[in-house]
Amino acid sequence: MPYLAQLIYRSRATPLLRRGDMPAFVRAIAAANERQGITGALIFDGEYFLQVLEGRRRQLDALLTVLKHDPRHEAVVVLRMDAIKQRAFPDWGMSLVPLRWDDDSAPPADSIAADGLSPLQRIATQGDERLRLVIDAFARGHWRDEAPSLAQTALRPSRITPPHHPSVEAVTGDEVSFAFQPIVDTATGRVRAVEALVRGPQGESPAELLARHRGSDLYEFDLRTKAVAIAQFAALDLDCDLALNVLPMTLAHVPDAAAFLLQALQSHGLPPERLMLEVTEEEAITQPTVFIAQMQALRSAGVRVAIDDFGAGYAGLSLLSEFQPDKLKIDRTLVRDIHEHGPRQAIVRAVTDFCLALGIEVVAEGVEDAAEWHWLQQAGITRFQGFLFSRPQLNGVGEIRWY
Ligand code: C2E
Ligand code: MN
Ligand code: MN
């Protein structure tokens, strides 16, 4: 049974609509929506829309797909798509509700209902608390930020850095090798770091390789293979930092693990400051006390620490209140389609704000799409890792595309 749902989105009128016949537009969408059993309200401030639509979920999904391609507006961001018990606007039509009246100009007579309330006031009385708060937020300026249209975005790379392979043949005969993926800074046009990603002799993924080991064997494998990553990184002879993934329990269970890593760096003439250890939020959070103790030990040697996969399934806010990393990597689950997704935008803004206030570097991971990158960049993020820029490359660094 398709359920009754409410969709709230914001968008921005394009010049096409602003020059055009607004009342005719509103009549047309009202008629089309009525045929689909969709009702709702449309709030407009002269530039941005906030539209509430209510109907069967399937109809709303279909309408949303059409809406996104309507050239009369752009920057469609979904703020809510949720099941509701009953419609807040069963007979509202789709009439255009101005966000506010100028104080000295009375609202148009035809917009005042018998109860003497303006349409906006009536929306507030009809909708639920959550809707009223979203409208308040919209009225206060939320969701009305600069959102340049994608057409203005350079979708083609403006510069390409060619692939890079080590002058010395990669360490051979090891049980694993590493693929390297750059973390780029689009503000400076420089590679900030390369992340080493473990691969098996048959190209096995990290998950496959790690699953072959159990208990202390797993931790020993995790640690000893880091020496291969460090050797390969040294052979690459790059002037950026090295990011290494490590299970936090590796550092706790293998005696002298920190000393092993420091020794491996030293044997290749790399200072500890060049190393950034990445620990996933999930692992850090299950054993916070052990985790924090190890991190302090590594930091006292100069090594920096990143929280990896932030936002992928675990609420790491309590961890962040106890332990502030040098870097926080926002997971692809938050990055995916962020340019169209209101809740992800609000979360990423809050996290970025937190990091900015505390001097924590932010990296957005898994950026695949120029529109995702474009949104993240206008939110103040300058460091990125993802297929859009460069794919991991075995025993080297692949081509880097700059935009
Ligand atoms: P991670 O640390 O988050 O590494 C990034 C992963 O995302 C890599 O997968 C990379 O190939 C992938 N990736 C990069 N850009 C994109 C993108 O634009 N889109 C998508 N969909 N994916 C992207 P990979 O190499 O399979 O690694 C998976 C995970 O395995 C890593 O996630 C890391 O947590 C773990 N791992 C990798 N190497 C090691 C290691 O040496 N030791 C340990 N303990 N874990 C490792
Ligand atoms: Mn990582
Ligand atoms: Mn990650």
Side-chain angles (χ1 to χ4, degrees):
M1 219 348 233
Y3 58 85
L4 191 64
Q6 187 183 62
L7 163 66
I8 308 178
Y9 77 87
R10 85 90 214 261
S11 65
R12 189 164 67 164
T14 55
L16 188 68
L17 179 59
R18 274 181 266 165
R19 277 195 311 265
D21 184 349
M22 186 70 84
F25 162 71
V26 174
R27 278 195 304 277
I29 61 168
N33 289 344
E34 206 180 305
R35 286 194 293 276
Q36 299 294 320
I38 295 170
T39 50
L42 182 62
I43 300 169
F44 187 54
D45 74 350
E47 183 176 9
Y48 286 95
F49 291 104
L50 186 77
Q51 185 163 29
V52 186
L53 293 164
E54 296 173 330
R56 294 284 147 199
R57 175 64 195 255
R58 198 179 318 144
Q59 267 76 38
L60 287 180
D61 282 334
L63 176 61
L64 185 57
T65 310
V66 175
L67 269 172
K68 282 182 187 168
H69 296 104
D70 189 327
R72 289 170 293 194
H73 68 171
E74 62 189 359
V76 175
V77 171
V78 175
L79 308 187
R80 191 209 287 198
M81 176 70 106
D82 245 350
I84 49 168
K85 190 172 168 213
Q86 60 195 31
R87 292 176 199 249
F89 308 104
D91 49 14
W92 189 262
M94 211 50 77
S95 60
L96 197 64
V97 177
L99 183 59
R100 60 172 68 85
W101 319 104
D102 290 341
D103 286 341
D104 49 353
S105 72
D110 65 354
S111 69
I112 298 291
D115 55 16
L117 296 176
S118 75
L120 194 62
Q121 288 166 327
R122 260 191 73 209
I123 286 182
T125 62
Q126 285 192 268
D128 62 6
E129 177 79 0
R130 220 173 123 195
L131 177 65
R132 194 170 57 70
L133 293 174
V134 171
I135 294 172
D136 278 355
F138 182 69
R140 283 198 313 272
H142 281 270
W143 310 113
R144 289 192 286 144
D145 48 354
E146 249 342 277
S149 72
L150 246 189
Q152 293 166 250
T153 313
L155 288 161
R156 248 176 278 162
S158 56
R159 174 165 71 95
I160 292 180
T161 308
H164 177 72
H165 290 279
S167 48
V168 192
E169 197 34 53
V171 188
T172 50
D174 285 301
E175 59 185 327
V176 296
S177 51
F178 283 81
F180 293 85
Q181 186 181 31
I183 298 166
V184 298
D185 186 326
T186 51
T188 61
R190 292 177 61 105
V191 176
R192 180 87 183 89
V194 288
E195 178 172 9
L197 300 159
V198 72
R199 298 288 181 263
Q202 262 77 56
E204 294 96 321
S205 71
E208 282 173 85
L209 288 173
L210 295 173
R212 289 181 189 165
H213 301 270
R214 293 267 173 274
S216 60
D217 182 39
L218 171 62
Y219 304 128
E220 275 157 26
F221 169 80
D222 190 34
L223 187 65
R224 71 172 174 268
T225 53
K226 295 293 154 331
V228 181
I230 291 168
Q232 286 199 293
F233 173 74
L236 277 168
D237 194 26
L238 303 165
D239 59 8
C240 65
D241 295 339
L242 170 64
L244 277 184
N245 298 283
V246 69
L247 301 166
M249 290 306 108
T250 296
L251 301 166
H253 286 280
V254 185
D256 302 323
F260 176 89
L261 289 173
L262 295 168
Q263 171 56 38
L265 290 167
Q266 202 193 11
S267 70
H268 294 283
L270 296 167
E273 288 75 11
R274 297 278 300 276
L275 179 63
M276 176 79 77
L277 284 183
E278 298 193 356
V279 179
T280 67
E281 190 194 356
E282 171 189 0
E283 292 152 351
I285 223 161
T286 48
Q287 298 256 0
T289 323
V290 184
F291 170 74
I292 292 168
Q294 291 152 26
M295 291 307 132
Q296 301 309 353
L298 277 158
R299 273 186 170 167
S300 56
V303 173
R304 285 163 304 142
V305 183
I307 297 283
D308 204 350
D309 299 352
F310 186 82
Y314 294 81
L317 294 180
S318 67
L319 174 71
L320 278 184
S321 76
E322 299 303 318
F323 172 80
Q324 291 81 50
D326 301 278
K327 180 164 93 178
L328 190 132
K329 298 183 79 176
I330 299 175
D331 193 70
R332 166 136 186 91
T333 48
L334 290 174
V335 165
R336 187 165 46 82
D337 292 334
I338 192 161
H339 55 291
E340 299 177 345
H341 201 288
R344 283 179 204 149
Q345 292 182 1
I347 292 169
V348 168
R349 278 196 199 283
V351 170
T352 306
D353 222 44
F354 168 88
C355 290
L356 194 69
L358 292 167
I360 300 168
E361 177 186 341
V362 178
V363 174
E365 280 195 286
V367 182
E368 292 184 0
D369 187 293
E372 293 164 353
W373 163 68
H374 194 252
W375 189 91
L376 292 159
Q377 200 206 32
Q378 62 84 39
I381 297 175
T382 63
R383 288 165 185 182
F384 305 94
Q385 183 177 0
F387 297 164
L388 178 68
F389 298 95
S390 187
R391 288 185 177 256
Q393 176 140 327
L394 194 62
N395 303 327
V397 179
E399 168 186 290
I400 306 171
R401 295 168 296 278
W402 303 89
Y403 298 87

